[in-house]
Amino acid sequence: MTLHARKDDLQAAARRHLWMHFTRMSAYADQDVPVMVRGDGCYVWDVKGRRYLDGLSGLFVTQVGHGRSELAEAAAKQAGELAYFPLWSYAHPRAVELAERIAELAPGDLNRVFFTTGGSEAVESAWKLARQYFKVIGQPSRYKVLSREIAYHGTTLGALSITGLPAIKTPFEPLVPGGVRVPNTNFYRAPEHGDDPEAFGRWAADEIERAILREGPETVAAVYLEPVQNSGGCFPPPPGYFPRVREICDRYGVLLVSDEVICAFGRLGYYFGAERYGYLPDMITCAKGLTSGYAPLGALIASDRLIEPFLRDTNTFLHGITFAGHPVSAAVALANLDIFEREGLLDHVRGREAAFRVTLEKLLDLPIVGDVRGDGYFYGIELVKDKATKETFTDAESERLLRGFLSNALFEAGLICRADDRGDPVVQLAPPLIADQQQFDEIEQILRDVLTRAWQRL
């Protein structure tokens, strides 16, 4: 079969059989489905031979970059020894070794690792653990979870119930009861204290306390927060926010869950975002960068006190996932962490994040760019109609801007990123942790050209 014939065959099969995730399938009624076939470093190639800078690390995943043969070799070696065995009443060496290594990297007394296959499962597992934990210790009325407006926490019904995005929840209602929203930390659009980040941080944290009191502290199990909130366009925490939230949770006996599915494993220059912002959660949920996407794996990391009741009597955490802690995935994760250490990726990110910010902030001279925000290798660029007033786009304008022009134009220009309107319109960037000034400049140049053309079309 010729290459041209194979391309046509793939397109026909994709159109007929493949159901893509979070994808408006009608968009491909009259255009090709992008088919990626190869990756190397910060770049990927499609079936037509075109190269793209992966400015989103796949989906905030490929920390060490594409094409790392040592990760493929680790997977092959493990598959040849023990391809699969469950963690239901059994263990295997790679799961034990990885749990120990994660516990060593995690802050404080977060020493117990419950594996999953992805982020949504980790978030779901944390809520289930919180609910059963409180039942076991004699506080059965605690089941509610507080999370922030616009925050995304996953797609399972439990994780979706914690998510703060009404548009993606409505089709699946009724959801799991107990999800409660609190304000996010978008300082650019702060409803209070918009001229004082510290005061804004205190206000946002105190809103969590007010919500706990409104709901009744005896009914609240946990607060779920991302170190940097992804959905809405990368909201870093204001100064003092997380230490204040920790105080509030302690005051009312509420568990603090740090949802680090995106932020863990180097995205913010640390193994865990909680380290960067100086707080100790009761649980961490993680996935994505744990294996750099070379195999599916997630984890719930819990403090010693949360497993303590389950080490006594007949108490059992009644939860499990067939492929969680899969031997091949665990072997890949161990090899991935070896790369982190050997190549100093955390230092690399911390040493270059200022240059990444400075390069992106050059775009603030464009009339369509209202805000550039983020930390580490995780940034959002908010688009506006009027910089002076911060006026945003209407839903119809956002549809024309993002889906009608920007997404395709950025892709055609050779940059994979996210043009997102879950909140105000933003372009999100999260390149592989190996990215350097060459990639920063390439991102800025492509964005400058495409955003300039977008403004001219408005």
Side-chain angles (χ1 to χ4, degrees), residues 353-409:
E353 65 174 331
F356 189 30
R357 177 186 290 273
V358 167
T359 303
L360 294 178
E361 286 180 341
K362 292 178 182 179
L363 297 167
L364 287 168
D365 66 355
L366 298 178
I368 197 173
V369 176
D371 192 30
V372 174
R373 55 182 178 253
D375 277 326
Y377 274 25
F378 188 32
Y379 274 86
I381 300 170
E382 183 166 335
L383 309 180
V384 294
K385 274 202 298 190
D386 189 315
K387 291 177 71 131
T389 65
K390 301 183 182 178
E391 181 184 2
T392 191
F393 298 92
T394 66
D395 289 345
E397 289 168 336
S398 181
E399 175 77 17
R400 291 198 304 271
L401 174 67
L402 295 183
R403 295 175 185 83
F405 177 71
L406 268 182
S407 293
N408 286 336

Side-chain angles (χ1 to χ4, degrees), residues 136 307-317:
V136 170
I307 194 173
E308 194 276 333
F310 297 96
L311 299 176
R312 293 183 276 107
D313 304 322
T314 59
N315 297 327
T316 301
F317 183 33

Side-chain angles (χ1 to χ4, degrees), residues 1-11 47:
M1 181 182 291
T2 66
L3 178 59
H4 179 75
R6 180 59 181 154
K7 293 176 188 175
D8 291 343
D9 187 50
L10 283 171
Q11 282 300 319
V47 71

